[in-house]
Amino acid sequence: MPTRLARLARCRVILSPEAMDASERLLSLAILIPAFNEGARLDATLTRIAGSMERVKAHVRGTISQVALVVVDDGSAEPIDVSPSVGASGSVQVWLLRHAVNLGQGAALCTATAFARDRLASNVFVTMDADGQHDPSDLPALLNALISDDADIVFGNRFSGNDSQVPPLRRALLKAATAFERFISGLNLSDAHNGFRAFGVRTATLIDFQQNRMAHATEIKQIVHRNRLRYREVPVSIHYSAETLAKGQRSTGSLVILRDLLSAYLFRA
Amino acid sequence: MFGYLFAAFIVLLLLVDRVFLPRSARRAWTLMACFMGVAAALSLAPRLLGSVSDWLGVGRPVDLILYLTTVLLLREVFLSRARSDRTLKALTQITRAQAISTARQVV
């Protein structure tokens, strides 16, 4: 397995502003999708993402040489199987990994990142939810901010998008969480827990979450702050279905996140 | 009267645990039986505990038990949490390595 330094050196040649301008950048894109009991929704989400790739490639400032959808089945009750029709467009690879036990979304993202970084040699990573709430047409905005602004990580912001459908109660809860996270992480972000993010290799080498579950979204901001990573925020859309809302985080989830953060602080390795 | 009932209850619990615990837990059962035996004996001789708490300067015998139990339980909670944290980290690493080694390209 290549060392972190070797990985960084390889990708600096590809992505460094000094080496080439934006139009010449070769991007090996990995879209990381943690999945747990998603059922038929997952195939629909993957098909939608795969189908949007030609449009994404046309709008990204750089050349996407490879697109891989990396799905991590986080110990679903019924093992996930991806329909071959997902790749009918022929523009993407789809990889499926499976956790033998349910560990949490943070752990699944960590697994997907490690796989894409070390096995697929990806140099651009995007995290998306498996339930289709994130819109693939927002990918160019995320990727262009990563490339053009020379950012290490770009966060999607649900609260300034044109087509956001965040329910009022959830919006209020997320606003409170955002204020708390500004205090904890020191980052000035408008959206606390959006799973739609893009980051480069430098950030990918630093992702080794201690938090297996939802508190990883706070931990990633602590990683950004601790390592002085360059971050940006771009507007993205969110589309909730009745199923998504029913399955999504409960309000008490914020208490669980606080508990996990305190536990990590007390029992830090 | 309460002392006899409480002691009988403890003996009954110990006998049930002895039957249903696996063989590997027999030594642990023995240690637990010692502690429970002390509790049963104290319930049969409540004045003994009163003498001890008076000597220590604790107001009531039950306060003495409460202080000791609270400290020991809290300590056990934190130690258990630290142990389970380490176990979870190991489980995560193993699960991740297995998932990556068995990754398959489906499309």
Side-chain angles (χ1 to χ4, degrees):
Chain A
M1 188 176 294
T3 62
R4 279 190 183 183
L5 197 58
R7 283 195 299 269
L8 269 173
R10 186 175 64 233
C11 295
R12 196 167 289 131
V13 171
I14 295 171
L15 278 182
S16 66
E18 298 80 23
M20 50 185 80
D21 66 28
S23 63
E24 293 176 327
R25 285 181 182 146
L26 274 177
L27 308 176
S28 174
L29 174 62
I31 299 180
L32 315 175
I33 304 169
F36 178 64
N37 292 344
E38 293 295 341
R41 268 197 308 265
L42 179 64
D43 275 354
T45 301
L46 296 178
T47 302
R48 194 172 163 218
I49 295 172
S52 70
M53 276 302 122
E54 292 307 315
R55 188 174 172 280
V56 168
K57 286 177 182 176
H59 288 84
V60 163
R61 295 185 205 119
T63 304
I64 298 180
S65 59
Q66 172 181 281
V67 179
L69 307 188
V70 180
V71 179
V72 176
D73 175 4
D74 188 27
S76 301
E78 289 291 325
I80 285 174
D81 208 4
V82 176
S83 165
S85 63
V86 162
S89 61
S91 59
V92 302
Q93 300 173 10
V94 180
W95 290 84
L96 182 59
L97 290 74
R98 177 171 165 80
H99 282 168
V101 295
N102 174 249
L103 294 175
Q105 191 185 65
L109 278 177
C110 214
T111 300
T113 304
F115 177 78
R117 180 191 66 213
D118 298 334
R119 294 292 178 92
L120 304 182
S122 302
N123 56 17
V124 177
F125 308 80
V126 173
T127 63
M128 294 181 77
D129 285 1
D131 56 6
Q133 61 177 276
H134 296 136
D135 191 347
S137 64
D138 290 323
L139 278 168
L142 280 165
L143 295 174
N144 287 336
L146 193 68
I147 299 166
S148 304
D149 295 350
D150 225 15
D152 295 308
I153 184 166
V154 178
F155 294 95
N157 177 9
R158 289 169 286 191
F159 301 122
S160 59
N162 295 328
D163 195 20
S164 284
Q165 298 178 355
V166 184
L169 178 60
R170 186 166 290 200
R171 183 185 281 259
L173 203 60
L174 287 169
K175 289 284 188 190
T178 299
F180 170 74
E181 296 227 346
R182 274 191 192 149
F183 172 70
I184 288 286
S185 67
L187 300 193
N188 188 18
L189 293 169
S190 303
D191 192 345
H193 269 228
N194 191 353
F196 206 178
R197 317 171 190 95
F199 50 90
V201 173
R202 186 178 171 208
T203 305
T205 57
L206 295 167
I207 285 181
D208 185 16
F209 296 135
Q210 301 303 307
Q211 296 289 347
N212 278 358
R213 299 207 175 268
M214 295 313 295
H216 76 277
T218 302
E219 190 181 355
I220 199 170
K221 297 177 186 74
Q222 291 172 323
I223 291 172
V224 170
H225 179 70
R226 206 161 45 234
N227 294 280
R228 294 196 173 91
L229 299 178
R230 299 159 300 180
Y231 67 96
R232 299 287 180 272
E233 204 172 22
V234 299
V236 296
S237 308
I238 197 85
H239 302 285
Y240 289 116
S241 63
E243 272 181 311
T244 309
L245 286 171
K247 187 177 180 266
Q249 289 188 65
R250 292 189 291 273
S251 303
T252 49
S254 54
L255 295 175
V256 174
I257 291 171
L258 278 175
R259 182 205 68 193
D260 288 346
L261 290 172
L262 179 62
S263 178
Y265 175 73
L266 291 172
F267 298 105
R268 194 181 314 185
Chain B
M1 177 65 176
F2 172 77
Y4 292 111
L5 284 176
F6 189 62
F9 175 65
I10 286 175
V11 169
L12 182 64
L13 275 182
L14 284 173
L15 287 174
V16 167
D17 287 343
R18 177 79 188 192
V19 168
F20 289 103
L21 272 177
R23 255 191 193 284
S24 56
R26 290 286 163 89
R27 286 196 182 135
W29 178 89
T30 306
L31 183 61
M32 186 178 68
C34 291
F35 281 104
M36 304 269 261
V38 168
L42 287 173
S43 72
L44 291 169
R47 289 206 181 100
L48 176 62
L49 189 59
S51 306
V52 171
S53 65
D54 284 342
W55 181 71
L56 286 171
V58 177
R60 298 175 302 172
V62 70
D63 288 343
L64 175 64
I65 295 175
L66 184 64
Y67 297 152
L68 285 174
T69 308
T70 303
V71 166
L72 291 175
L73 273 177
L74 274 177
R75 181 176 175 274
E76 185 54 33
V77 164
F78 279 107
L79 288 179
S80 292
R81 186 60 197 241
R83 279 192 292 269
S84 69
D85 232 44
R86 279 198 301 271
T87 304
L88 179 60
K89 282 183 171 59
L91 175 65
T92 301
Q93 285 172 357
I94 292 167
T95 304
R96 178 163 300 140
Q98 187 205 25
I100 290 175
S101 67
T102 57
R104 59 189 178 96
Q105 186 172 359
V106 295
V107 173

